Each structure stands twice: as structure tokens, then as C-alpha cells.
């Protein structure tokens, strides 16, 4: 039976950088999830179609975190009550974010709901999240997330059914109030796509020749994908995939692929003995859209990885014709810009968050996109894609027959090196964080053109982005200090956290001197790091003497 349940608006449901994220307890309480899902449906219901969602398909899946299954059952009942004709859901409720994006595109779905808080911790005390992706497979753009938020503010009822839980573990079809629920293999279509993009034979031959990969799935969603692709398809030995079973609490860890949270992998790759060190270390995050790349003895900064992948993409079959353009988020280093320039293609600078790449990708203006936060992807889907990035690295390594270290060194020798770091101050008081940002913002016009400790500031501004495709304007996307030599300091507040505020400070300096390409980034950037602290008064205002995470 279809039920209409009375409800009242719940405050604070404004989607952030990537969907709505809150503590599990908040999501699981009362009508919280139902309110948000109904607001999504109300905001995106096609007004011009008399049947609403009739005849349309929704893709549903999540990263397997605590509360995933319960949330999926709620979404299924509500999709049926709101009139969808079909839902395609990953077996066990599992779909990586890039796989969901692919399924939406492959099956011409209306869109998808992805249940994930991505790199945020899980478990009963951790975070939960949900985001809506549209028919292009990409995260809803700001005008859609704004419309969803507006709906949350005046919601009075939601539609659901009294159907018992659907079996999510067996492939096949059932129906809820006339809506077909198809439980799908979450891995098969995605694997087929990867096989088309990359030279699996060349990569398999490399593995057969003794090449070693260590892939840390962090007990998150990429485990099944990684086992299927790296071990079964490409013949990498069993054990290549570490932590390959998705767990509701990610094994108690934080599924954020950085040197801090992927410490074991990092230690393995950077171990000085080198004997047992794999050739490539990689990891992905909660929902499988991020990637960490570490060569033997060398951590590849995500901004560098983007540049190196763009420079070498033509070595993989999918990109053999070359790339048409690159896009990077504003805080991402300018290493990719130099590659674009050398290739004679444009490089776009967008705000943080994958939703800003969608229009450029749809319009065919860019092929490869990336963010400093370990997100890289291409026009094959409309999300960043962790396993894709690892496969592109593998394909490049298989063709070039060099180590990651050699490839990085040759890259820097050709293009110079953009030393880069991001310092995160997590869970600081929101008021303190806002005041800090405001104080820098208030001084931007004074900073512009100023000489600070021998650094001349060329530009001091609050980044805003005018989308070249649809003309939409996104303001307040980060405070930038750009120096006369191209170095940059960027301050931003995170839009994905669930408690307090996280201040991100992004620091970059370009080095062309061939004798100075092998420095430790923290040393190469030491004076700018100090300057960033003094300009914003970070230590003084937050009482923190050091960042929580340095990448
Ligand atoms: C962070 C990253 C951003 C990324 C976003 C979602 O956002 O900085 O680059 O797109 O997470 O990634 P913020 O607002 O916290 O800086 V994921 O993999 O968590 O969906
Ligand atoms: Co993610």
C-alpha cells in the first residue's frame, strides 16, 4: 500500500561539497532520511511529464557503511511510492560512486541516489551521507542542490509504502507497488567499461612478468571491484588487494586514502630496504572515487598525478587520440596547466567538488579532470574514479616500462615541479574558523599588491567561477593569495565535515631549477607555510600548533 506520511521540515539539510553528510545517529533518527529523499524527488520531478517519474529508472547503491542497507530499503519504498518504474540497485546495496555514475549513463536512467559519506569515518558513531546524481551520471549541480534544500524547508509529507524489506543479496527482479527492483551485479558493467578503456593484455603481461601492485581498499567499497579487476581479470597475485572486504565500520579506520590513514601502505611503499616493496601502491576511499598513488619510495602528490596522467594518457587505448582539455579545481596545483599548455589544449579552473566538472565534460571541452584531494577522472563517467586512476597508471607503466620514480623525475625535468601541500586543521570551532576566514577576506584589498616578508602578492581574491557552459556563477569558493612568481596560498573551509569546521590551507610553489627538483615538499614550502600561518593567524586563533593532516 502506498502511504503518505505527515512530516515537518528539518533544519540544516543543505548539501555540501558532495551531498548531505551527517552523523549516523542524525540520519537514522525519525524521518530524517525520508525528508531528504522526498525533497530530492520533489525538486527533480520532471514537471513536463504527466506521469512524473513513471517510465523512469533510478540507480541506487552505497559504499556499504553502517546504515547503508536500512537506508536503501527506505529509498526503494519511497521510489516506488513516488512513481518510479524501475530501480537498479547494486547487490548487497553496494555500488561505488563511479560505478553508479556509469550505470546511470549505461541504462539511460533518470538519475541515482548514492548513499555514502565518502572519505568520512563510518560505523554507528561515524558519518552517513546521500547525494543525488542526474541523468548525465554526475553529481547534481548547485542549482539542483539549492532546489533540494528549498524543498527541505517546507516539506509537509513524504510518500512511502508498507512493503517488507527487499532481498538485496540475490540477483534478480522483484516489484514494489508496480516498480521493478532489479538487484544487479555491482562490478560487471564497470569492469566491462574498464576493459574497453585500457590495454588489459599489456597490464596482464606486466603482472605475469612479476610487477607487483599493493592496493588498499580500506575495507570500503572498492574491494569487490579491485579483486575482480586486478586479481581476476589482470592476473595479479592473490593478496594484491588488501582490506578488500567492505565493512560497515571500515575496520575502525578512516577510509581516506592519504599517508595518515593509509599508513600501512605508505610505510610499505616507502620502506628503505626496497626488497619486498611493491612497484605500485594505491588506495581508494569509502565510495571508490579517490585514489592514492605511491611508487617505490615516492609519494605522488595527487596534483602531480593528475598532471602525469594527463601527459601520458595517450598511451592508453581510450585516450590514444589525445585529450581535448584538462580541468582542475582551484586549489589543485598548477602542474596540470603546464601539461595542457605543452599539449596545446585548454585548462579550466573550477571550484572544489566534482559537480563543477560536469558541464565541461558534457560539452566535450575536457577529457581529464582532477582535484588535489586525490580525485582524478575522465569523460568515461561523470565522477572521479579511483580504480580508473590506478588502471591508467598501470597502463602507462606497462607501456613505458619505467618505474613511477623515473616517470615522475622525467616529468619534473620536462615541466618543472609544482611543490604542493595541503594542511588540514580538523574539527576547529566553527565560529573561530569563520572569524579567521572573515579576517583574511576583510584584508584582501590591502593584501593585493602588498609585499609580505619579501613575497609580492599579485592577486588577493575570493575565488568565484563563471561556468562557461551554462553561465552560472559560484562565489566564495576560497581565498587566494597569488604571488608574483606564481606561488599560491589558498584558504578554504571544508564542505564535507560533520562536526565543527575544517580549515584547509593549500600551498604551492613552482620550481624550474633542475638541481632543486628532489626536495621534501614541506622543506621546499617551509617559508610559505609560515607565511600562511602568520597572514591568517592560524596558530593564534585556533590554538593549534600543527595541522591534523598534511598531504
Ligand atoms: C573534499 C575535497 C574535495 C572533494 C570532496 C568530495 O571537499 O576537498 O576536493 O571533491 O571532498 O570528495 P571539502 O569541501 O571537504 O574540501 V569525496 O571522495 O569525500 O566525495
Ligand atoms: Co569519495
Amino acid at each position: 500500500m502506498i502511504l503518505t506520511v505527515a512530516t515537518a521540515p528539518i533544519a540544516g539539510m543543505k548539501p555540501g561539497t558532495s551531498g548531505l553528510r551527517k552523523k549516523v545517529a542524525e540520519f537514522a533518527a525519525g524521518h530524517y532520511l525520508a525528508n531528504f529523499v522526498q525533497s530530492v524527488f520533489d525538486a527533480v520531478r520532471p514537471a513536463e511529464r504527466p506521469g512524473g517519474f513513471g517510465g523512469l529508472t533510478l540507480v541506487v547503491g552505497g559504499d556499504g557503511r553502517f546504515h547503508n542497507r536500512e537506508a536503501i530499503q527506505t529509498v526503494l519504498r519511497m521510489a516506488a511510492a513516488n512513481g518510479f518504474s524501475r530501480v537498479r540497485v547494486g547487490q548487497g546495496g553496494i555500488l561505488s560512486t563511479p560505478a553508479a555514475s556509469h550505470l546511470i549513463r549505461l541504462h539511460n536512467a533518470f538519475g541515482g541516489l548514492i548513499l555514502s559519506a565518502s572519505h568520512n569515518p563510518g560505523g554507528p558513531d561515524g558519518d552517513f551521507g546521500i547525494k543525488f546524481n542526474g541523468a548525465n551520471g554526475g553529481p547534481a549541480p548547485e542549482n539542483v542542490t539549492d532546489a533540494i534544500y528549498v524543498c527541505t524547508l517546507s516539506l509537509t509529507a513524504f510518500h512511502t509504502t508498507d512493503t517488507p524489506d527487499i532481498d538485496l543479496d540475490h540477483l534478480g527482479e522483484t516489484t514494489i507497488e508496480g516498480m521493478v527492483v532489479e538487484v544487479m551485479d555491482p562490478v560487471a558493467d564497470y569492469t566491462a567499461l574498464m576493459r574497453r578503456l585500457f590495454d588489459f593484455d599489456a597490464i596482464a603481461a606486466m603482472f605475469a612478468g612479476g610487477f607487483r601492485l599493493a592496493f588498499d581498499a580500506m575495507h570500503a567499497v572498492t574491494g569487490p571491484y579491485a579483486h575482480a579487476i586486478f586479481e581476476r581479470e589482470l592476473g595479479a597475485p592473490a593478496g594484491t588487494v588488501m582490506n578488500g572486504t567492505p565493512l560497515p565500520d571500515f575496520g575502525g579506520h578512516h577510509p581516506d586514502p592519504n599517508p595518515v590513514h593509509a599508513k600501512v601502505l605508505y610505510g610499505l611503499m616507502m620502506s628503505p630496504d626496497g626488497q619486498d616493496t611493491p612497484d605500485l601502491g594505491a588506495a581508494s576511499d569509502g565510495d571508490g572515487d579517490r585514489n592514492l598513488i605511491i611508487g617505490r619510495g615516492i609519494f605522488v602528490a595527487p596534483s602531480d598525478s593528475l598532471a602525469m596522467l594527463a601527459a601520458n594518457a595517450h598511451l592508453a587505448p581510450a585516450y590514444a587520440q589525445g585529450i581535448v582539455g584538462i580541468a582542475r579545481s582551484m586549489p589543485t596545483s598548477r602542474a596540470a596547466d603546464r601539461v595542457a599548455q605543452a599539449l596545446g589544449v585548454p585548462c579550466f579552473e573550477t571550484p572544489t567538488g566534482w559537480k563543477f566538472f560536469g558541464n565541461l565534460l558534457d560539452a566535450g571541452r575536457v577529457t581529464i579532470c582532477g582535484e588535489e584531494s586525490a580525485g582524478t577522472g575522465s569523460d568515461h563517467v561523470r565522477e572521479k574514479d579511483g580504480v580508473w586512476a590506478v588502471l591508467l597508471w598501470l597502463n602507462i607503466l606497462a607501456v613505458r616500462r619505467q618505474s613511477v620514480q623515473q616517470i615522475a623525475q622525467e616529468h619534473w625535468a620536462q615541466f618543472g615541479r609544482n611543490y604542493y601541500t595541503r594542511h588540514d586543521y580538523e574539527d576547529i570551532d566553527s565560529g573561530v574558523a569563520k572569524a579567521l576566514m572573515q579576517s583574511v577576506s576583510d584584508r584582501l584589498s590591502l593584501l593585493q599588491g602588498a609585499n609580505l616578508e619579501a613575497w609580492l602578492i599579485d592577486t588577493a581574491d575570493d575565488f568565484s567561477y563563471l561556468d562557461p557552459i551554462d553561465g552560472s556563477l559560484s562565489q566564495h569558493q576560497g581565498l587566494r593569495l597569488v604571488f608574483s612568481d606564481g606561488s599560491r596560498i589558498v584558504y578554504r573551509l571544508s564542505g564535507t565535515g560533520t562536526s565543527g569546521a575544517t580549515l584547509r590551507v593549500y600551498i604551492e610553489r613552482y620550481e624550474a631549477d633542475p638541481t632543486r627538483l628532489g626536495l621534501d615538499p614541506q622543506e621546499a614550502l617551509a617559508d610559505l607555510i609560515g607565511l600562511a600561518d602568520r597572514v591568517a593567524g592560524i596558530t593564534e586563533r585556533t590554538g593549534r600548533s600543527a595541522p591534523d593532516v598534511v598531504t
Side-chain angles (χ1 to χ4, degrees):
M1 218 168 63
I2 292 178
L3 310 171
T4 296
V5 180
T7 188
I10 299 172
M13 290 193 170
K14 196 168 175 59
T17 311
S18 175
L20 181 67
R21 297 186 192 181
K22 299 285 174 193
K23 293 280 175 222
V24 166
E26 196 167 347
F27 252 109
H31 294 157
Y32 197 92
L33 177 64
N35 266 26
F36 187 75
V37 171
Q38 188 62 52
S39 301
V40 171
F41 290 158
D42 290 349
V44 303
R45 182 180 288 108
E48 73 284 4
R49 298 178 81 251
F53 296 117
L56 300 178
T57 297
L58 187 70
V59 169
V60 178
D63 64 9
R65 69 178 58 222
F66 189 83
H67 200 57
N68 189 48
R69 282 173 176 267
E70 294 82 348
I72 286 180
Q73 299 290 350
T74 300
V75 169
L76 294 179
R77 284 189 272 264
M78 290 185 64
N82 279 275
F84 275 97
S85 288
R86 179 182 282 267
V87 165
R88 293 180 183 267
V89 57
Q91 187 178 21
I94 292 287
L95 278 181
S96 78
T97 286
S101 181
H102 177 52
L103 281 185
I104 294 169
R105 298 164 65 78
L106 182 67
H107 298 292
N108 295 314
F110 171 77
L113 283 170
I114 302 173
L115 292 303
S116 170
S118 191
H119 64 283
N120 298 24
D125 301 321
D127 292 346
F128 195 75
I130 180 167
K131 66 174 173 169
F132 175 73
N133 283 30
N136 72 345
E142 274 192 326
N143 63 330
V144 175
T145 55
D146 287 350
I148 295 169
Y149 178 58
V150 167
C151 288
T152 68
L153 300 175
S154 60
L155 194 74
T156 54
F158 63 86
H159 310 294
T160 186
T161 72
D162 58 359
T163 322
D165 283 359
I166 293 284
D167 174 7
L168 295 175
D169 294 311
H170 296 94
L171 300 179
E173 296 188 356
T174 29
T175 59
I176 304 178
E177 295 296 335
M179 180 187 84
V180 178
V181 178
E182 181 179 351
V183 177
M184 302 182 69
D185 179 337
V187 175
D189 288 325
Y190 179 83
T191 303
L193 174 64
M194 293 301 122
R195 206 184 290 119
R196 283 204 304 279
L197 299 176
F198 299 111
D199 188 345
F200 271 31
D201 291 339
I203 301 172
M206 183 171 73
F207 279 122
F211 180 94
R212 287 179 55 218
L213 165 70
F215 181 87
D216 187 352
M218 306 191 88
H219 288 303
V221 81
T222 45
Y225 298 85
H227 280 302
I229 294 174
F230 300 133
E231 295 179 354
R232 290 198 289 277
E233 290 274 327
L234 295 169
T240 294
V241 178
M242 303 148 63
N243 304 320
T245 306
L247 297 177
D249 67 347
F250 306 119
H253 300 291
H254 205 129
D256 190 348
N258 63 34
V260 174
H261 296 301
K263 204 169 52 211
V264 173
L265 178 75
Y266 187 82
L268 175 69
M269 294 308 300
M270 303 303 268
S271 69
D273 59 62
Q275 282 293 354
D276 296 323
T277 313
D279 299 282
L280 180 67
S284 192
D285 70 332
D287 62 334
D289 55 3
R290 296 190 180 199
N291 70 91
L292 176 76
I293 299 293
I294 317 177
R296 188 182 288 156
I298 178 172
F299 170 73
V300 184
S303 293
D304 276 342
S305 179
L306 169 66
M308 292 168 194
L309 290 179
N312 292 283
H314 62 280
L315 301 176
Y319 312 101
Q321 308 303 317
I323 59 175
V324 299
I326 305 174
R328 61 162 174 84
S329 65
M330 182 274 283
T332 304
S333 96
R334 291 166 158 177
D337 303 34
R338 296 180 181 275
V339 173
Q341 200 179 16
L343 294 175
V345 300
C347 186
F348 296 86
E349 184 175 46
T350 61
T352 295
W354 210 262
K355 59 186 172 217
F356 294 103
F357 295 134
N359 281 343
L360 294 168
L361 289 163
D362 285 350
R365 301 280 287 270
V366 297
T367 308
I368 290 198
C369 305
E371 295 191 275
E372 51 64 41
S373 54
T376 343
S378 85
D379 57 1
H380 68 290
V381 290
R382 293 294 179 272
E383 288 277 8
K384 53 191 189 265
D385 189 342
V387 169
W388 170 90
V390 178
L391 285 168
L392 183 49
W393 264 104
L394 287 170
N395 201 145
I396 291 165
L397 290 165
V399 174
R400 287 188 56 163
R401 298 166 188 270
Q402 289 174 302
S403 67
V404 173
Q405 181 116 36
Q406 286 166 324
I407 289 174
Q409 279 164 355
E410 287 185 15
H411 186 95
W412 293 328
Q414 183 181 353
F415 296 99
R417 181 170 179 184
N418 291 70
Y419 282 105
Y420 187 84
T421 191
R422 185 178 98 184
H423 288 195
D424 295 329
Y425 299 82
E426 295 177 341
D427 204 4
I428 54 182
D429 179 82
S430 301
V432 168
K434 271 195 198 128
L436 181 151
M437 291 295 285
Q438 190 61 50
S439 132
V440 177
S441 172
D442 290 344
R443 280 177 285 139
L444 286 174
S445 54
L446 293 174
L447 288 166
Q448 170 101 29
N451 255 309
L452 280 187
E453 304 172 14
W455 292 88
L456 173 64
I457 304 186
D458 253 3
T459 313
D461 68 359
D462 186 345
F463 180 63
S464 64
Y465 176 64
L466 184 65
D467 186 304
I469 310 300
D470 68 9
S472 59
L473 181 69
S474 301
Q475 290 174 295
H476 307 301
Q477 298 295 329
L479 305 176
R480 309 191 280 191
L481 307 181
V482 186
F483 300 92
S484 54
D485 67 345
S487 297
R488 296 192 304 165
I489 297 174
V490 174
Y491 304 95
R492 240 190 102 246
L493 294 183
S494 157
T496 57
T498 59
S499 63
T502 292
L503 171 69
R504 304 202 194 284
V505 186
Y506 311 82
I507 296 161
E508 169 176 16
R509 187 173 72 78
Y510 179 65
E511 179 64 72
D513 179 350
T515 65
R516 296 181 52 83
L517 297 175
L519 307 177
D520 172 350
Q522 300 307 313
E523 284 168 24
L525 296 166
D527 46 357
L528 277 172
I529 292 171
L531 183 62
D533 184 10
R534 288 187 291 279
V535 167
I538 301 172
T539 310
E540 191 189 313
R541 287 172 179 272
T542 65
R544 304 280 176 89
S545 53
D548 297 281
V549 181
V550 172
T551 35

